[in-house]
Amino acid sequence: MPELTQYWPTFTNLSNFQFWEKEWQKHGTCAGCAETLNSPSKYFRASLSLHAKYSIDRKKMAGKIETPKGVQRRPQLAASLQQGQIQSHWKETPLLSVASRKSLSSPESSNPVDVTQRKGASLPQPLSTNILAAATPFKKLLLDGWDQPVGSDGDKRAEEQDPVNQIPHDHRCAALTSNICERLLRGLPYQDCLGTVAAFILEREAAGSQSSCRETYEVVAVGTGDVCYEGWMEFNGRTLHDMHGLVVARRALMRYFYKQLLMFCSKDPVAVEKCIFRLAKDGMHLALKPRFFLHLYLSRLPSGALENLQVMTSQPSTPVEVCISAKGTLRPIAFCRPSTMASYICCVSGSDKLTRWTVLGVQGALLSHFIHPVYITSIVLADAHQDSAILHQVINDRLQLAEEILPEPYHWSPLYLFEGPRVASLDVPPKCHSCSLNWCGGDEALELVNGAVGKSAQDIMNPQGPCRPSRLCKAAMLKSFRKVAKEMKREDLAALPTYHEAKVQAKAYQNVKQQVCAQLSLQDFRKWSQKWLMDIFAS
């Protein structure tokens, strides 16, 4: 309900949804005996109607009411609202600096979606049970009331709904991210870590529906953090190096992909139907099912992007260099001593990773043995420091690769960029600086990683206590890789001796990666940071 966000926003540290939930529980439930006010949707609609009829804003403009000192509208919220009104949904929003609107179908889709034809989307359906099962009654009633099931009656009601029932794509991603984080953090003292949250959201579009409001969104991977491991190089694959929210969420997404592959290999018809992958046309790999789209919610600018924005704003003609984090400092590769890069853990910045993923996909080298590249469709960014045009240039326009030189199914997939609402304050307290949380679909609980050592805390309530290798470390990924290889009868892959060898043998992926690195070098972005020495481990 965009009008609710506009006229009844929170002015506290709570998210809008937390604030509305409290308003409903404290005030709305008192009106439950009246049939016209016996649900959150009816209660808030009535409130908006009264606001429109007896507008306090108009009286303030007329000078009849003075605004209390110290109360003002947050500029981030105002910008988010404006963006949400102008760009209601990603499928009808043209990319910046892209001349033509291209089809947004997956490579395996026989029915491409034209971004010029798609209309609005309603709130998520209750189908995403792993997210909505633990939702509060407030949110459950809201969702049940605003998203009718597919069918003649539901389609008719959807057509009769006015725009107040629809929620923009950016607000929708933020709402689901807030929802899953609240559920996972219940009873844990890490709510302040959400200032660095990143979440991957999978959109499923119902095939054959005549209604324009037939999608479901599901959060499948979450990560938080704002730290890199600052120690010496390690060679056993058991230490997490980069614990920024974006990178952690991406590794959690890869873990989710491995789970989906095991579902496909189970041969159970129900599991195969629920799996997000299907057999590709080549008969050897799997590919994301048609009408599935991957979105990314970021609470703040990815590492490296802010520095790039500052350079491009002050010196527009200066090329943007690849940045790495070494010994706790982010800097261009050109400014890093060879001795530092040879001895310490060095992590490429988040914005540079996003640039690479527009061509390589987010699945990485190991998963490329089994699946076709999976591309991010859109990014919802809640950081008010962004400049969409420059950010588009930093992420989308740095790679000028001709698609005809890329082997199928690889291609250039530019990202749609949105400014969205925040789910938490961006101010992260010191106690959270060395903490990183991760979760993916199917996990029972969050995992807490101590950024100082790059390992998981055995007791989530005691981050400084005994540690063990994280479920997202390279050694864990190699274990999952070998398990899937055996299930898919790929003994050649299961027998690969090291993590490095498994990466190198992904020939098509490595070929495209070399083209990406060569293109960056031609544009004076310097050499991409290599970490192959740390990948030569067997288990």
Side-chain angles (χ1 to χ4, degrees):
M1 187 181 286
E3 292 176 348
L4 187 60
T5 306
Q6 181 176 0
Y7 296 117
W8 203 345
T10 178
F11 292 100
T12 69
N13 291 329
L14 296 174
S15 68
N16 277 340
F17 287 90
Q18 291 173 319
F19 170 65
W20 296 330
E21 179 180 7
K22 289 182 179 296
E23 290 298 299
W24 163 252
Q25 292 176 346
K26 186 173 181 179
H27 303 295
T29 52
C30 297
C33 56
E35 185 176 354
T36 57
L37 298 171
N38 62 3
S39 73
S41 58
K42 293 179 181 179
Y43 171 73
F44 287 116
R45 287 177 192 280
S47 301
L48 290 174
S49 177
L50 290 172
H51 172 77
K53 187 175 182 180
Y54 306 103
S55 176
I56 297 177
D57 293 337
R58 287 197 295 268
K59 295 182 180 293
K60 286 170 61 178
M61 293 177 64
K64 297 180 180 179
I65 300 178
E66 295 183 0
T67 301
K69 293 182 179 180
V71 177
Q72 58 182 352
R73 190 181 188 85
R74 293 188 302 192
Q76 297 93 335
L77 178 62
S80 171
L81 290 169
Q82 182 180 13
Q83 185 79 357
Q85 292 165 357
I86 296 174
Q87 298 180 343
S88 58
H89 308 285
W90 69 265
K91 292 175 186 174
E92 56 186 14
T93 303
L95 279 165
L96 294 171
S97 305
V98 176
S100 61
R101 298 185 177 186
K102 59 186 291 187
S103 167
L104 291 177
S105 63
S106 64
E108 297 297 317
S109 175
S110 59
N111 298 309
V113 179
D114 189 336
V115 296
T116 63
Q117 297 177 355
R118 282 303 309 268
K119 300 297 183 182
S122 63
L123 272 167
Q125 298 181 24
L127 180 62
S128 302
T129 55
N130 68 322
I131 294 174
L132 302 180
T136 63
F138 167 83
K139 292 173 183 172
K140 185 177 187 303
L141 285 171
L142 238 58
L143 298 179
D144 288 347
W146 287 358
D147 199 11
Q148 304 296 341
V150 176
S152 57
D153 293 340
D155 288 343
K156 182 177 180 181
R157 284 193 293 268
E159 291 173 0
E160 294 173 351
Q161 287 178 343
D162 54 62
V164 76
N165 288 333
Q166 299 180 357
I167 187 170
H169 168 71
D170 49 348
H171 285 244
R172 190 174 185 179
C173 291
L176 282 176
T177 301
S178 176
N179 194 344
I180 189 66
C181 289
E182 287 178 22
R183 179 172 72 85
L184 293 171
L185 288 170
R186 192 168 297 147
L188 298 176
Y190 302 114
Q191 280 78 10
D192 292 334
C193 294
L194 294 183
T196 61
V197 70
F200 280 98
I201 300 159
L202 195 64
E203 176 189 353
R204 294 171 169 87
E205 194 175 72
S209 173
Q210 299 300 314
S211 173
S212 62
C213 306
R214 299 300 93 195
E215 310 96 356
T216 62
Y217 282 30
E218 179 182 5
V219 177
V220 296
V222 173
T224 74
D226 191 28
V227 64
C228 285
Y229 177 64
E230 299 178 18
W232 301 94
M233 281 190 178
E234 295 189 7
F235 306 97
N236 57 15
R238 287 171 167 78
T239 301
L240 276 186
H241 302 156
D242 192 337
M243 285 154 284
H244 285 86
L246 167 62
V247 179
V248 173
R250 186 256 185 158
R251 294 192 71 81
L253 178 68
M254 294 163 65
R255 174 176 159 84
Y256 175 76
F257 286 166
Y258 279 118
K259 292 183 179 183
Q260 291 292 314
L261 290 175
L262 291 175
M263 286 178 60
F264 184 87
C265 295
S266 70
K267 306 301 182 183
D268 179 3
V270 176
V272 172
E273 178 65 25
K274 290 183 178 180
C275 179
I276 66 173
F277 296 114
R278 73 170 188 178
L279 195 63
K281 291 180 180 179
D282 62 10
M284 296 181 58
H285 296 82
L286 301 183
L288 200 63
K289 288 180 178 178
R291 300 185 179 277
F292 275 56
F293 305 95
L294 185 66
H295 307 293
L296 172 62
Y297 176 87
L298 290 175
S299 60
R300 59 175 59 193
L301 281 170
S303 61
L306 187 57
E307 288 76 11
N308 290 339
L309 290 176
Q310 292 171 346
V311 169
M312 297 186 70
T313 302
S314 60
Q315 305 174 31
S317 60
T318 303
V320 181
E321 293 189 306
V322 171
C323 295
I324 64 171
S325 178
K327 299 175 64 175
T329 304
L330 188 70
R331 66 192 77 181
I333 289 181
F335 297 162
C336 292
R337 295 178 179 179
S339 60
T340 298
M341 296 183 64
S343 304
Y344 290 88
I345 300 295
C346 299
C347 303
V348 177
S349 72
S351 57
D352 294 321
K353 290 179 182 291
L354 286 170
T355 296
R356 185 168 69 170
W357 296 341
T358 60
V359 175
L360 288 169
V362 295
Q363 76 290 336
L366 267 63
L367 279 164
S368 296
H369 287 287
F370 309 119
I371 63 176
H372 281 176
V374 178
Y375 295 104
I376 302 171
T377 299
S378 74
I379 295 180
V380 176
L381 184 57
D383 195 323
H385 293 95
Q386 65 169 307
D387 183 316
S388 297
I390 297 180
L391 194 60
H392 174 86
Q393 188 174 350
V394 168
I395 296 175
N396 284 334
D397 286 353
R398 293 166 69 190
L399 286 176
Q400 305 295 333
L401 287 172
E403 292 200 10
E404 56 267 19
I405 69 173
L406 296 173
E408 291 187 357
Y410 291 91
H411 61 277
W412 177 58
S413 181
L415 305 173
Y416 288 78
L417 303 175
F418 291 86
E419 181 181 349
R422 296 194 316 229
V423 299
S425 172
L426 297 182
D427 297 326
V428 179
K431 68 177 183 179
C432 293
H433 284 174
S434 62
C435 293
S436 174
L437 301 167
N438 70 76
W439 172 91
C440 78
D443 289 342
E444 293 184 359
L446 287 165
E447 179 186 64
L448 174 67
V449 177
N450 183 344
V453 296
K455 289 183 170 62
S456 170
Q458 292 186 14
D459 181 2
I460 194 170
M461 301 300 290
N462 182 20
Q464 306 303 324
C467 294
R468 60 190 175 195
S470 168
R471 60 192 180 189
L472 301 185
C473 70
K474 291 183 178 181
M477 293 296 176
L478 180 59
K479 181 179 179 180
S480 297
F481 169 80
R482 287 172 171 165
K483 185 174 183 179
V484 170
K486 290 179 180 179
E487 292 292 331
M488 298 187 76
K489 312 301 181 185
R490 293 294 304 274
E491 299 300 332
D492 56 325
L493 298 180
L496 292 174
T498 65
Y499 184 87
H500 174 70
E501 192 65 22
K503 291 176 65 175
V504 170
Q505 290 302 318
K507 300 294 186 181
Y509 181 91
Q510 295 298 340
N511 177 26
V512 176
K513 182 178 177 181
Q514 289 177 5
Q515 293 186 50
V516 169
C517 294
Q519 184 68 23
L520 291 175
S521 298
L522 288 175
Q523 298 179 24
D524 197 27
F525 291 147
R526 307 292 179 179
K527 185 179 179 181
W528 195 274
S529 178
Q530 302 295 322
K531 296 186 289 188
W532 64 272
L533 280 176
M534 294 180 290
D535 294 342
I536 305 178
F537 62 89
S539 63

